[in-house]
Amino acid sequence: EAQVTQNPRYLITVTGKKLTVTCSQNMNHEYMSWYRQDPGLGLRQIYYSMNVEVTDKGDVPEGYKVSRKEKRNFPLILESPSPNQTSLYFCASSLGGAYNQPQHFGDGTRLSIL
Amino acid sequence: SQQGEEDPQALSIQEGENATMNCSYKTSINNLQWYRQNSGRGLVHLILIRSNEREKHSGRLRVTLDTSKKSSSLLITASRAADTASYFCATDEWPGTGKLIFGQGTTLQVKP
């Protein structure tokens, strides 16, 4: 089954403790992206990757890192999480660029930073 | 960065009625997409309309795009309780940077 898989689905952690949210897709998509969703703010793009070893900042990249060493994986790293990063996070992928292809979304990761 | 704005923020209708949601954006685009999100779940792609298209249909969905007004509308005809969800528009920036900007969404409730 074609899918985007995020892990973990839920995480409660404390300020400053490094964490990684994994994202994997099995559709051989070039484009992958991370979003955060907050009430009243919709989805905001954190980082995106047009292909392996190519990453670019979205609208809210501060406090996040990403890497794209393999086509299928695009982990989101919070090196020193803070409470304002408490949010619902989504990974998405598409064949080709986001400007002309539908995005396939994962089921989300709900992060709580205490 | 550009921001899609959706109107209304919330909409409540009876089953069988039509639902119309609007989206406005600020800069030139390659295309505009509509997504649906059931409560707390991932977004599901509904329809993509290119900047040179004015109208597109998919089942009970009808999307229009007016690039001169920088606006789009999503019409769901003969709504069902299962259409209850949040609906988002998403736009890119011409000529295509890879960024995708989502609106804040319209929450639709369809009462049985």
Side-chain angles (χ1 to χ4, degrees), chain A residues 10-107:
Chain A
Y10 304 91
L11 179 63
I12 301 173
T13 188
V14 296
T15 299
K17 186 177 180 182
K18 181 179 178 180
L19 68 92
T20 299
V21 184
T22 64
C23 175
S24 180
Q25 50 92 6
N26 62 0
M27 295 168 280
N28 203 33
H29 284 170
E30 288 90 0
Y31 182 94
M32 297 186 75
S33 182
W34 276 102
Y35 301 87
R36 61 178 289 175
Q37 184 175 27
D38 302 289
L41 296 176
L43 274 83
R44 293 178 293 168
Q45 194 171 35
I46 303 171
Y47 271 96
Y48 63 95
S49 170
M50 300 286 278
N51 215 324
V52 176
E53 301 292 0
V54 180
T55 61
D56 283 289
K57 295 177 181 178
D59 285 327
V60 288
E62 295 78 18
Y64 304 95
K65 283 177 58 176
V66 292
S67 68
R68 188 88 183 275
K69 295 187 173 67
E70 305 164 279
K71 200 171 189 179
R72 64 183 292 127
N73 296 323
F74 191 44
L76 179 70
I77 303 156
L78 285 71
E79 297 245 335
S80 183
S82 62
N84 64 10
Q85 293 177 299
T86 292
S87 188
L88 179 58
Y89 291 84
F90 289 102
C91 180
S93 72
S94 67
L95 189 66
Y99 59 91
N100 64 353
Q101 297 290 336
Q103 298 294 294
H104 298 257
F105 280 81
D107 283 335

Side-chain angles (χ1 to χ4, degrees), chain A residues 31 35 37 40-43 45 48 50 57-59 88 90 98-103 105-107 110, chain B residues 1 30-31 33 35 37 40-43 45 48 50 88 92 95-104:
Chain A
Y31 182 94
Y35 301 87
Q37 184 175 27
L41 296 176
L43 274 83
Q45 194 171 35
Y48 63 95
M50 300 286 278
K57 295 177 181 178
D59 285 327
L88 179 58
F90 289 102
Y99 59 91
N100 64 353
Q101 297 290 336
Q103 298 294 294
F105 280 81
D107 283 335
R110 191 169 290 280
Chain B
S1 62
N30 289 293
N31 64 55
Q33 303 180 46
Y35 288 83
Q37 183 183 34
R41 303 296 302 275
L43 280 72
H45 181 260
L48 181 152
R50 303 195 187 283
F88 295 87
D92 63 296
T97 62
K99 279 189 175 183
L100 201 59
I101 309 294
F102 282 81
Q104 294 177 359

Side-chain angles (χ1 to χ4, degrees), chain B:
Chain B
S1 62
Q2 69 178 42
Q3 175 71 49
E5 295 183 3
E6 299 190 51
D7 170 56
Q9 289 189 345
L11 183 60
S12 181
I13 58 174
Q14 295 294 135
E15 221 170 14
E17 294 180 339
N18 295 340
T20 300
M21 293 158 249
N22 303 296
C23 168
S24 61
Y25 57 92
K26 296 177 182 174
T27 66
S28 297
I29 62 173
N30 289 293
N31 64 55
L32 185 143
Q33 303 180 46
W34 284 91
Y35 288 83
R36 184 187 76 228
Q37 183 183 34
N38 291 95
S39 181
R41 303 296 302 275
L43 280 72
V44 174
H45 181 260
L46 295 175
I47 199 163
L48 181 152
I49 185 166
R50 303 195 187 283
S51 59
N52 62 354
E53 297 176 311
R54 291 297 167 258
E55 187 171 312
K56 203 162 183 180
H57 297 254
S58 177
R60 293 183 295 112
L61 305 181
R62 173 179 168 252
V63 168
T64 61
L65 179 63
D66 187 335
T67 53
S68 66
K69 294 181 179 177
K70 292 186 169 60
S71 67
S72 174
S73 67
L74 170 67
L75 168 67
I76 304 174
T77 60
S79 63
R80 305 165 182 167
D83 295 327
T84 294
S86 293
Y87 292 82
F88 295 87
C89 67
T91 55
D92 63 296
E93 286 181 340
W94 189 89
T97 62
K99 279 189 175 183
L100 201 59
I101 309 294
F102 282 81
Q104 294 177 359
T106 293
T107 299
L108 172 65
Q109 182 186 30
V110 182
K111 299 174 185 175

